[in-house]
Amino acid sequence: MKTALRLMPLAIAAALAFAPATHAATAAAPRAENAFLSQQDAAARAARVSNVDYVLDFTLTGKENFSGTTTLSFDLNDASSPLTIDLDKASVKSVTVNGKSVTPQYNGWFITLAAGDLVKGRNTVAIAYERPHSTNGEGLHRMVDPVDGRVYTYSHFEPAAAHQMFAVFDQPDLKGTYQVNVTVPADWEVISTTRETKIDADGDAKRWTFPRTKKLSPYNFSMHAGPYKKWEDSSGKYPMRLFARQSVASQIKPAEWFKYTKSGLAFFDDYFGIPYQFEKYDQILVPDFLYGAMENAGAITFAERGFMYKADMTSEQRQRLAAVIMHEMAHQWFGDLVTMKWWNGLWLNESFASFMGTLATAEATEFKDAWRAFYSEGKQSAYAQDQRSTTHPIEVPVPSTQNAFDNIDAITYSKGASTLMQLRHLLGADTFRKGVHNYLVKYQYRNATLDDFIGSLGDAAGRDLKGWTREWLYQPGVNTIAASFSCKNGKIASFTLDQSATKQFPTLREQRVQVASFRLDGKELKLDKNVAIIYKGAKTAVPGMVGASCPDLVYPNFEDWGFVKVQLDKRSFDTARTGLSGVDDPLLRAMLWQSLWDGVRDAKLPLNEFITTALNNAPQEKDYTLLGDVLGKVGAARHYLVAIDPNSAYAHQVDRQLEDMAWNAAVAAKGNDDFQRRWFGMYIGVASSRPALDRLAALLEGKQTLDGLSINQDLRWAIIARLNRYDYPGAANLVKAEQERDKSDSGQAAALASTVVRPDPAVKSEWLGTIQDTKTKLPFSKVRTAMGSLYPTEQKALAEKSADQRLSLLPQLDKTAGPVYMRAYGPSMIPSGCTPASVKRLQAASAQMKDLSAGTRRALLDTLEEDQRCVAIKQALTVK
């Protein structure tokens, strides 16, 4: 997904020089002259082309450009019209079609092969080219390590960026085989889908030869090259390797990687009933990565920023590592072995990997509470998004590759995973597993659709799932359920589940949940009755609850089987507010915390009452995973409070209370590294008073210590960023001094964030200009860092100075900057202020800017709704 504007001069020149004489005479509709492939054009190409094979030859020198030759063989069932081959922003040196040299017909996005040069049957096309390395994380990305000057490259192709590296039919339903030859500097490693069979000296370089792969969609193939540090482990069924840059190798914990990888491969082999197909398992940590990780077949890439540790790993970090490894590993079967036909099926890949990754983490590692972490993190994001007017069905049309990532979000990942969990509850775990196995066996090395997947599950269950599919996958929105009951003589006399939906998204759904009632025994809340039931429609009787003791609390989605928002009845809500500490079950405790937080976000529970509850209960929380969830909510509560008015007496009072709570808890957690680091992280995140900032400065200088805690490099940067955020005396000089200590690229990024966050009008203006300059030479990873740091919540006055300009520039940037840029710019840079005036400004913009791309318009509308929510929360405050 590239910007059309930057390529337009090249496109015009190519069109004038190489316009095909036969183009106007062909009956087939010509492909649109732009950077994106439409589903219609992809389907037309797939209907003609089959049995695709690539021989790829690359020469990498470490310089800004690389050269390559694609030799592409394929069967063509109709040679009566031109055929396009995707190749982005390259200098084409030669094109040979079936042994004949032809003049390149190239517009900067794709090469058009004239019908007269093609034959029905087997065709062979050779395309030689040169191209700049990418610097935005797509294609063949190049990075120069600032520590030692070494050059590293890696490929990233999802959703449709393989043509930023080589000439290809860049669509998922044209699977092919790939044989790769790569010439690189002699000290480089090369990693691809298969393991190399030969490395030959070639002057000062080496030539690596890789055997032909099994059939893969283009986005699942990969090739990475550079002087990577390599670790190996052969203790499992499949050989495992791990790669990282030399300068960060000391921050990698290879034993942890191999432990979880080995256990995951054993789990998935057994669960799917199909052995892992790609023979070896390589994992590569790479810099400047756009996402968390990518499931390239046999050579999975990970964003190193999320998996480098300058101290011992916390339990949270280990669990995140295990979860991401399992997610990407699930894709090796579901996504790589069986692949969606078009990008509208991308959600199913991600939903299934999220579901299976969590299941594997819970069952194949020490993190048995993985589903609880899923509830607190991914699922809550999905609930929040599904309550917005901009929500979307899980299954949505994708007109072209420009739209492939429009809907890759919490709905795609976490709501989709939740629906699969619900389907597992409906069908039974064994039936669900059988259906998945049958699907993978039937469609392996092929492309499949949602109907194929649901059909396999339905066949295994002997059930028609069309109605379920229609309700859950093609209709947006989250339902709300509430328990409605009456008591007589201390017993429940009647009990129903009431299901409701919004006017905008009125669909009511069928779902299986557990309804549980609890009673207070002193201060403890004890389970009295638990009933599993399938509900549907507006009202469902729950006869199993009749006769139970009249409850102090009812929770109608006990143990989180369903994807549904729970509305507690008044008595249950009051019990939740006052009785959190008496709930033994940490998942129920997490759900009750969530009910309180829902009350805040719905402007039904005053924010100040939630903060009081948190101050009273958070320090007593002994479950590490839940503590992270609670502190996250506390941080969000503080964000709202600061957004409402950072200078109010109440905001200052709460800041002092949160500082004291976090510091005291960090001190008390001595000897428990996980808890101490979690609490100290919160302390850094809430410190804003001069005494708290003084304490951070003293810790940085070694004049004060927190017994049990080592202030490592990551913490030093976090402290420096906080001091700069509040313009602490001498903070700017701390950035410069720390850069001398830490010359790594992560240090550069931290220094940039610390600089940009300063409440200095000149700094803001300079960096806003850099961010909005779409021709900047700064790597996109740095631009994205600046976006995220430029306007912190409390700097409302500074943010307001550029608010109108940022908003007015949105349409222009949307047209010129490209989807990768706008996915970061929209959520970070669209201005909000938590005031009626700010809401009005956003409403006016949304009324005027109807022609924004789908992703950018959604970001605008989401910002508007969040601003409206903030104003409503402000109005609900009972302490000013």
Side-chain angles (χ1 to χ4, degrees):
M1 290 178 281
K2 277 69 58 186
T3 167
L5 185 67
R6 286 186 298 204
L7 298 182
M8 193 57 70
L10 177 61
I12 293 171
L16 291 174
F18 304 124
T22 60
H23 200 244
T26 60
R31 177 174 166 181
E33 294 274 342
N34 62 46
F36 307 105
L37 175 67
S38 72
Q39 183 177 15
Q40 182 178 358
D41 287 337
R45 187 163 65 179
R48 300 174 63 196
V49 173
S50 59
N51 298 324
V52 182
D53 175 74
Y54 297 92
V55 176
L56 304 176
D57 198 299
F58 301 106
T59 299
L60 280 63
T61 63
K63 295 181 180 178
E64 292 184 359
N65 285 14
F66 68 95
S67 60
T69 300
T70 294
T71 303
L72 170 56
S73 301
F74 55 92
D75 291 342
L76 191 64
N77 64 21
D78 174 12
S80 65
S81 60
L83 183 71
T84 63
I85 299 175
D86 307 307
L87 179 63
D88 175 79
K89 208 188 299 184
S91 298
V92 176
K93 304 300 183 183
S94 66
V95 176
T96 304
V97 183
N98 295 320
K100 174 187 172 185
S101 178
V102 302
T103 301
Q105 300 175 16
Y106 180 51
N107 62 5
W109 302 302
F110 53 85
I111 293 168
T112 300
L113 306 179
D117 296 325
L118 299 166
V119 297
K120 186 175 180 179
R122 198 69 176 165
N123 290 260
T124 299
V125 179
I127 300 170
Y129 61 94
E130 185 174 316
R131 191 191 189 281
H133 283 281
S134 301
T135 59
N136 70 343
E138 293 189 318
L140 186 60
H141 181 90
R142 172 181 178 268
M143 180 263 195
V144 181
D145 192 322
V147 173
D148 53 23
R150 290 183 168 110
V151 174
Y152 294 88
T153 70
Y154 63 86
S155 69
H156 177 75
F157 299 151
E158 190 179 27
H163 67 296
Q164 294 188 44
M165 180 173 167
F166 60 96
V168 57
F169 297 130
D170 204 354
Q171 59 190 81
D173 60 343
L174 280 177
K175 288 194 168 188
T177 54
Y178 303 80
Q179 194 276 310
V180 185
N181 310 291
V182 191
T183 301
V184 296
D187 63 336
W188 282 24
E189 294 278 349
V190 184
I191 308 107
S192 191
T193 303
T194 55
R195 183 73 68 86
E196 71 278 0
T197 52
K198 187 168 59 170
I199 306 174
D200 296 322
D202 186 1
D204 294 333
K206 288 185 178 178
R207 183 168 176 80
W208 294 58
T209 302
F210 294 83
R212 185 164 272 101
T213 70
K214 297 178 180 180
K215 288 180 69 175
L216 292 170
S217 292
Y219 84 95
N220 295 138
F221 166 75
S222 68
M223 193 276 289
H224 323 283
Y228 288 98
K229 166 75 173 177
K230 177 174 66 178
W231 298 269
E232 298 185 75
D233 187 304
S234 300
S235 63
K237 184 178 179 181
Y238 309 99
M240 300 175 288
R241 299 189 300 180
L242 180 67
F243 298 85
R245 287 186 294 134
Q246 299 283 348
S247 67
V248 301
S250 63
Q251 300 173 47
I252 310 303
K253 313 294 183 186
E256 302 288 343
W257 285 79
F258 291 137
K259 177 179 71 172
Y260 297 128
T261 302
K262 180 179 175 180
S263 63
L265 286 166
F267 174 84
F268 285 121
D269 267 7
D270 177 66
Y271 186 92
F272 292 133
I274 299 173
Y276 172 66
Q277 293 291 296
F278 302 111
E279 299 171 1
K280 54 88 177 176
Y281 206 87
D282 291 339
Q283 296 172 109
I284 309 99
L285 289 102
V286 298
D288 301 340
F289 202 59
L290 287 170
Y291 311 107
M294 176 60 200
E295 67 269 16
N296 315 306
I300 299 87
T301 42
F302 294 77
E304 61 182 25
R305 67 182 179 276
F307 305 99
M308 298 190 307
Y309 311 105
K310 294 173 182 174
D312 290 339
M313 295 170 68
T314 64
S315 293
E316 179 190 27
Q317 290 167 340
R318 285 191 183 87
Q319 182 165 352
R320 185 174 70 247
L321 173 62
V324 178
I325 286 174
M326 299 303 177
H327 177 106
E328 304 307 327
M329 193 178 289
H331 275 306
Q332 303 299 303
W333 285 262
F334 207 105
D336 295 4
L337 180 62
V338 180
T339 312
M340 69 214 155
K341 191 173 183 65
W342 181 245
W343 299 109
N344 62 304
L346 188 55
W347 78 266
L348 185 55
N349 282 5
E350 298 302 346
S351 294
F352 190 83
S354 295
F355 168 78
M356 285 303 308
T358 307
L359 184 68
T361 304
E363 298 193 8
T365 76
E366 67 268 32
F367 303 110
K368 306 307 178 188
D369 65 348
W371 284 111
R372 189 149 52 79
F374 172 79
Y375 169 83
S376 296
E377 296 165 10
K379 199 166 187 179
Q380 295 312 319
S381 296
Y383 281 144
Q385 186 162 343
D386 216 16
Q387 293 174 69
R388 296 171 180 159
S389 66
T390 58
T391 191
H392 56 86
I394 294 175
E395 172 82 10
V396 292
V398 177
S400 84
T401 55
Q402 182 178 17
N403 310 106
F405 263 20
D406 283 353
N407 298 301
I408 299 305
D409 49 30
I411 300 294
T412 301
Y413 282 77
S414 299
K415 182 180 181 181
S418 299
T419 62
L420 293 176
M421 172 60 93
Q422 175 59 209
L423 197 52
R424 186 172 183 249
H425 284 302
L426 278 171
L427 304 182
D430 291 341
T431 299
F432 182 86
R433 182 176 180 176
K434 178 182 177 183
V436 169
H437 168 80
N438 293 345
Y439 169 80
L440 292 172
V441 169
K442 183 175 182 179
Y443 296 103
Q444 58 186 320
Y445 299 109
R446 295 165 58 193
N447 297 88
T449 65
L450 173 62
D451 287 345
D452 296 327
F453 177 67
I454 295 296
S456 293
L457 295 177
D459 290 345
R463 173 176 170 170
D464 185 349
L465 293 173
K466 290 188 178 68
W468 182 93
T469 303
R470 198 164 47 247
E471 288 179 359
W472 281 101
L473 305 182
Y474 288 97
Q475 297 297 328
V478 60
N479 297 111
T480 299
I481 56 171
S484 179
F485 59 93
S486 63
C487 294
K488 189 174 182 180
N489 299 324
K491 302 290 185 182
I492 295 176
S494 65
F495 198 110
T496 61
L497 274 185
D498 297 344
Q499 179 182 194
S500 60
T502 64
K503 290 181 180 179
Q504 186 180 8
F505 305 120
T507 301
L508 299 179
R509 297 174 172 86
E510 176 187 6
Q511 190 164 201
R512 188 167 188 247
V513 297
Q514 295 181 104
V515 181
S517 63
F518 300 83
R519 56 186 175 79
L520 283 168
D521 182 2
K523 291 186 177 181
E524 292 186 27
L525 197 64
K526 294 189 175 180
L527 177 65
D528 187 60
K529 192 73 179 284
N530 182 27
V531 176
I533 189 167
I534 296 175
Y535 72 82
K536 55 186 175 181
K539 282 188 178 294
T540 302
V542 188
M545 294 299 293
V546 175
S549 298
C550 193
D552 293 299
L553 182 142
V554 172
Y555 201 85
N557 186 24
F558 187 53
E559 295 184 334
D560 193 35
W561 284 13
F563 183 85
V564 65
K565 185 177 178 181
V566 169
Q567 181 177 312
L568 295 178
D569 62 274
K570 186 178 185 307
R571 180 172 176 81
S572 296
F573 192 82
D574 290 341
T575 300
R577 288 171 59 188
T578 59
L580 276 172
S581 60
V583 180
D584 287 335
D585 178 0
L587 177 56
L588 178 61
R589 212 157 60 242
M591 290 176 149
L592 296 180
W593 272 108
Q594 187 59 44
S595 291
L596 298 180
W597 185 239
D598 285 342
V600 172
R601 285 176 50 80
D602 295 341
K604 294 178 179 177
L605 176 67
L607 178 62
N608 51 287
E609 292 190 21
F610 177 86
I611 290 172
T612 298
T613 301
L615 288 167
N616 290 335
N617 287 275
Q620 280 71 54
E621 185 54 62
K622 302 304 179 188
D623 184 272
Y624 179 68
T625 299
L626 180 51
L627 178 62
D629 179 22
V630 172
L631 295 187
K633 288 177 170 57
V634 172
R638 182 184 182 273
H639 167 83
Y640 279 128
L641 197 59
V642 171
I644 290 166
D645 184 356
N647 298 313
S648 72
Y650 179 64
H652 287 304
Q653 174 193 327
V654 169
D655 273 349
R656 303 302 82 74
Q657 291 173 311
L658 294 178
E659 289 169 354
D660 289 344
M661 178 179 74
W663 178 259
N664 292 335
V667 170
K670 177 188 174 183
N672 188 326
D673 189 54
D674 283 346
F675 276 76
Q676 188 171 54
R677 287 163 69 175
R678 177 154 273 172
W679 277 111
F680 185 67
M682 183 196 176
Y683 182 73
I684 294 176
V686 299
S688 60
S689 69
R690 183 58 185 262
L693 297 173
D694 285 342
R695 177 180 277 158
L696 288 179
L699 287 164
L700 187 70
E701 296 171 12
K703 296 177 179 178
Q704 183 174 348
T705 60
L706 175 56
D707 199 8
L709 183 73
S710 173
I711 306 296
N712 61 36
Q713 185 63 67
D714 289 336
L715 287 178
R716 290 184 64 83
W717 275 121
I719 291 171
I720 289 170
R722 195 69 182 179
L723 295 175
N724 274 274
R725 180 167 174 163
Y726 286 91
D727 200 18
Y728 188 80
N733 291 330
L734 290 174
V735 177
K736 297 175 184 176
E738 202 67 23
Q739 274 187 291
E740 291 300 313
R741 293 167 51 105
D742 181 9
K743 297 182 182 297
S744 68
D745 62 305
S746 62
Q748 286 188 348
L752 172 58
S754 299
T755 299
V756 171
V757 80
R758 289 183 56 76
D760 181 333
V763 168
K764 303 299 184 189
S765 178
E766 176 188 353
W767 277 99
L768 180 61
T770 300
I771 289 168
Q772 293 177 341
D773 178 8
T774 57
K775 296 181 180 180
T776 180
K777 297 296 184 182
L778 201 65
F780 181 67
S781 60
K782 301 295 190 292
V783 174
R784 188 170 60 171
T785 295
M787 288 180 189
S789 302
L790 193 59
Y791 295 117
T793 311
E794 69 279 358
Q795 294 177 11
K796 292 180 67 172
L798 283 170
E800 187 59 31
K801 288 183 178 180
S802 66
D804 290 338
Q805 185 259 2
R806 282 182 279 146
L807 203 51
S808 64
L809 196 61
L810 197 60
Q812 178 184 331
L813 287 172
D814 191 47
K815 289 178 182 177
T816 61
V820 170
Y821 176 95
M822 291 309 298
R823 282 199 295 272
Y825 185 90
S828 300
M829 302 297 290
I830 295 175
S832 61
C834 198
T835 65
S838 173
V839 168
K840 187 176 180 180
R841 178 171 60 203
L842 288 167
Q843 287 173 328
S846 67
Q848 295 166 6
M849 299 177 186
K850 296 290 181 67
D851 296 329
L852 295 172
S853 66
T856 303
R857 178 149 180 85
R858 180 175 298 150
L860 175 60
L861 294 175
D862 286 349
T863 304
L864 167 59
E865 289 188 11
E866 183 58 27
D867 219 25
Q868 291 170 322
R869 183 187 302 279
C870 189
V871 170
I873 290 171
K874 177 180 181 179
Q875 292 170 345
L877 268 173
T878 56
V879 176
K880 306 299 182 183

